[in-house]
Amino acid sequence: MKLNYRIVIFALAIVFGIVFSLPSLLQTQSGKKITLGLDLQGGLHMLLGVKTEEATKSRIKSMAASIKHFAERNDILINGLTFDNKSVTFEVLDSDEIKTFDEFLSKLEGVTVTHKGSVISVSLTPKEIEKTKKQAVSQAIETIRNRLDQFGLSEPIVARQGKDKILVELAGIKSQEDEQRARELISRAAKLELMAVDEDRNARVYNMSDADAASYGDIILEDVKSPKIKYLVHEIPILDGGMLTGANVGFDQNNRPVINFKLNAEGADIFGDFTGKNVGKRLAVVLDGKVYSAPNINERIGGGSGQISGNYTVLEAKDLAIALRSGALLAPIYLMEKRSVGPSLGADSIKASMIALIGGFVLVIVFMMVYYRMAGVIANIALIANLLLLLAVMSLFGATLTLPGMAGIVLTVGMAVDANVIITERIRELIYEGKSMHKAIEEGYSNAMRAILDANITTLIASVVLYVYGTGAIKGFAVTMSIGILASMLTAILGTHGIYQMLESKMGKSKNYRFWFGIKG
Amino acid sequence: MEFFKYSRTFDFMSKSKLAMLFSTILVLASYAILATKGLNYGIDFAGGTVVQVKYDTKAPIKAMREKLKANKLFDGASISEFGSPDEVVIRMKTTTGNVTQDIGDVTREVLKGTGAFEVRRVDIVGPKVGSELKEKGIMSLVLAILSILIYVAFRFEWRFAVASIVALVHDVSIAMGAVALFAIDVNLDVLAAILTLLGYSLNDTIIVFDRIREGITKSKKANLTEIINESITRTLARTTLTSLTTFFVVFTLFMFGGEIIHAFAFTLLVGIIVGTYSSIFVASPILIFFGFDVKGYHTKLAEKAKREAEKNRMREQFESGVM
């Protein structure tokens, strides 16, 4: 009795299959499990594009703000501070001050400074623009991830795809309201700006065009609650949300939710300076281009904290605070692809594919037993082991099971018996030729080997290509197909051969071909 | 049980002319359908929006149409039943890039008052993503065919490779023709089915070719036609049985797998039937057509064996220290 290594390997494979597929089958708390794809458990999949050119624009804008602040701080008179998509331009009135300014500008990173007499223009270098764009995407990913983490979903996926795309996957969204909330949280720019109201001209705001406003260096903004109310504010903000260090929900004296925010040292400085100089004027609190409130400045506000009041619910205030805390999106995002599946549809899909899987499985099993008798039973053992292995490997990888993946498993059931059909047919042929049972089995296996290998490798090639070029759900299909093929090599070839060898002593004496191979012999 | 007891060789090749004619007609008809009717690209490749709505009772399609007309967003939207009378799909070309405003929400608003329903699925694919997916899809098909071609050429002989690719193109063409004929939405899942079919159809062909190769090397006959007939007859049981089991499971998918998997199952179903037929009647005659030379192959093999023996002898000499 020589050691039957095939049966040992096969037994080990079955044990491995059972042990590692159990967590998935029983949905235990611990252990590595197969996760259900969004199409099976319901959820939201989005591919977002990032408008990176907006990021460079806002870089330029904040550069303009800091130039303005520098000039005011050092009492340097500048004139005609304007900016476009590429550069900030201004004129220094006192030519002695140009040097001071140059010194300040030389500290800025990634800019080119050009002089035309007393007119200075500052623009971003191409390398800096590229960097800013790249940063905008990374920052958007980071920001969206932060926001979703605080939203309280289980394991949101936020990942970069390609150069400037972001993939967001949220599983287990149970209701329309949740989805709406998640979408708003993701897409909210959360750009906070504190802006000075142009008190000299604000009275005329209702008969002013945008172009008129621009000629004064102002812009017209609407009130968040009633768009009919308009404000004329200086285009260059006093400071923006980048200087925010915290935001949380509080309540004002009327017990309405407000958001308290804190500024960093630099922000606190600027804020203190500005409020000190502008007592009696109004300060517009602007969020994403809408004026939330425009309180009067009664005194200098030091310490760098402020409040945004608005007419919102506690939940809205909470989400707003999350958005502010996680920082603004440097660049707006837009939707490129979205797939959302309601939980009920996912449940239906699981049910339907399970029926197909079990139906197909039973059909194949019964067919094999009727047609091949004992050889069919052995092939069925291999088939079940194959499925267990497939589930085990998928669990170990923490793979996602999608609907096409389910289809892949169903297909595996149909194709996995192929190897056994080839082998058994070969054995039958040899028995017809009058070979002994033992000889027929050994030669049958060696004859069938080459065909099975060739056939499986070509199928594997097709599924690897599918995996490399497929997206999302299709990848899942490719994974199950590939693992299924590999597992069938182990179970259908090695495993069944081992079983035959184990039964050899019984089979060698038997002349009952009908029982073993379903033929008359 | 035995359906296919090997007792005598069936003369498949005598039918090959008829089969070739039949195949040519089918393939040409498929191309004609593809050229005139064209493929019905779904949103994955064409971009657009799909909203799936389920009602408690039969979906009031007429009332829905009226309601949708009122909103500009739904210009050119089509409404069709989806799998069961209470479920419908609204398809349109428009997409929105806005993350917060959702077509699903808009649909819910617009359809208010048509009965109790839930919006179960909203898929939006922007035009840019669609064209990218298309590119990737074509790329994957070409790559799969190429890599398979290389493998088969390496394992067999170039004529086998060409013959198996012709059979592949034949299968894929007919499957695509069927998809076009029944106006099935071509989405990623159909592409996956086509790629699966590539693997499957080839699998079938390879098993037959493997037998033919074996027949060529072992049999004393020099007549290729006879060898092919014998090889096909001997593999007939396997070809039919495996096709049957695969057909079973795909058929259950098709019947019970739900509407979403329908297109995938349909494409595969057609593919399995065509693929089985082509591995018997299409791939092998092409070998004859290309003038595969059994004698030449024999000589080649003999030379190869001689070289191997020579090598082994040298090695033995070298190892035993005789130089």
Side-chain angles (χ1 to χ4, degrees), chain A residues 194-206:
Chain A
L194 299 176
M195 300 174 119
V197 176
D198 188 346
E199 300 288 5
D200 308 340
R201 304 188 184 88
N202 193 48
R204 291 191 281 132
V205 70
Y206 293 102

Side-chain angles (χ1 to χ4, degrees), chain A residues 365-379:
Chain A
I365 294 247
V366 170
F367 175 82
M368 289 297 281
M369 283 206 305
V370 170
Y371 195 83
Y372 287 127
R373 297 292 170 94
M374 197 61 200
V377 173
I378 291 169

Side-chain angles (χ1 to χ4, degrees), chain A residues 12-156:
Chain A
L12 285 176
I14 289 184
V15 171
F16 167 90
I18 292 173
V19 168
F20 287 101
S21 62
L22 270 184
S24 295
L25 289 171
L26 305 174
Q27 287 299 316
T28 51
Q29 290 304 313
S30 62
K32 288 186 166 152
K33 282 197 291 283
I34 295 175
T35 44
L36 286 182
L38 294 183
D39 52 354
L40 292 178
Q41 64 166 331
L44 175 63
H45 153 111
M46 288 196 286
L47 194 61
L48 305 167
V50 184
K51 290 184 180 148
T52 48
E53 52 287 341
E54 293 289 329
T56 45
K57 226 190 247 174
S58 64
R59 256 296 307 264
I60 302 264
K61 196 171 168 183
S62 70
M63 208 153 67
S66 55
I67 287 171
K68 189 179 176 188
H69 179 246
F70 175 81
E72 279 171 4
R73 225 181 182 174
N74 297 290
D75 288 329
I76 301 171
L77 288 175
I78 55 173
N79 188 16
L81 178 65
T82 56
F83 64 90
D84 55 18
N85 291 348
K86 290 195 181 69
S87 57
V88 184
T89 315
F90 58 95
E91 189 181 2
V92 180
L93 291 179
D94 186 345
S95 54
D96 294 348
E97 303 281 16
I98 292 180
K99 245 181 115 100
T100 327
F101 237 110
D102 274 344
E103 212 169 293
F104 162 71
L105 292 175
S106 68
K107 283 186 202 137
L108 296 177
E109 274 175 28
V111 296
T112 328
V113 182
T114 47
H115 291 259
K116 251 199 202 141
S118 59
V119 176
I120 301 178
S121 72
V122 186
S123 56
L124 295 174
T125 59
K127 206 170 146 188
E128 187 67 16
I129 289 174
E130 208 39 51
K131 199 172 124 188
T132 308
K133 286 182 171 177
K134 232 177 144 158
Q135 233 170 4
V137 181
S138 322
Q139 188 262 358
I141 291 172
E142 211 39 53
T143 306
I144 292 171
R145 193 174 291 143
N146 279 334
R147 291 177 186 180
L148 289 173
D149 280 344
Q150 299 181 47
F151 180 80
L153 279 168
S154 64
E155 297 179 30

Side-chain angles (χ1 to χ4, degrees), chain A residues 14 41 54 119 151 220 271 337 405 413 415 430 455 477 487 498:
Chain A
I14 289 184
Q41 64 166 331
E54 293 289 329
V119 176
F151 180 80
I220 301 169
F271 198 50
E337 181 190 350
V413 170
M415 289 171 79
L430 291 161
F477 172 74

Side-chain angles (χ1 to χ4, degrees), chain A residues 180 348 418 426 429 432, chain B residues 2 105 120 211 234 242:
Chain A
Q180 180 71 20
D348 280 6
D418 182 39
R426 284 280 192 170
E429 258 182 75
Y432 288 138
Chain B
E2 314 158 66
D105 294 342
R120 301 177 96 193
R211 256 304 161 104
R234 284 184 175 276
T242 298

Side-chain angles (χ1 to χ4, degrees), chain A residues 231-246:
Chain A
Y231 296 88
L232 188 68
V233 298
H234 291 305
E235 187 182 11
I236 297 170
I238 304 149
L239 48 83
D240 60 39
M243 297 174 180
L244 223 57
T245 55

Side-chain angles (χ1 to χ4, degrees), chain A residues 176 180 183 187 335-336 338-340 342 344 348 370 372 418 426 428-429 432 454 466 477 518, chain B residues 1-2 44 97 99-100 102 105 108 118 120 122 124 126 151 155 195-196 211 214 234 238 241-242:
Chain A
Q176 306 302 339
Q180 180 71 20
R183 277 204 317 267
S187 61
L335 191 66
M336 295 179 84
K338 169 193 150 163
R339 293 170 195 270
S340 67
S344 71
D348 280 6
V370 170
Y372 287 127
D418 182 39
R426 284 280 192 170
R428 279 183 173 191
E429 258 182 75
Y432 288 138
D454 277 344
L466 253 186
F477 172 74
Chain B
M1 206 194 299
E2 314 158 66
D44 283 357
V99 183
T100 37
D102 181 52
D105 294 342
R108 237 186 312 274
E118 60 160 333
R120 301 177 96 193
V122 179
I124 303 170
Y151 179 79
R155 286 286 286 180
L195 279 163
T196 310
R211 256 304 161 104
E214 194 179 308
R234 284 184 175 276
R238 177 266 155 196
L241 293 177
T242 298

Side-chain angles (χ1 to χ4, degrees), chain A residues 26 70 78 85-86 163 176 190 196 199 205 210 289 294 330 336 359 384 412 445 450 465 481 517:
Chain A
L26 305 174
F70 175 81
I78 55 173
N85 291 348
K86 290 195 181 69
K163 197 175 142 195
Q176 306 302 339
E199 300 288 5
V205 70
D210 285 341
L330 292 176
M336 295 179 84
I384 291 164
T412 302
Y445 269 90
R450 201 159 68 169
V465 170
M481 276 286 284
F517 293 106

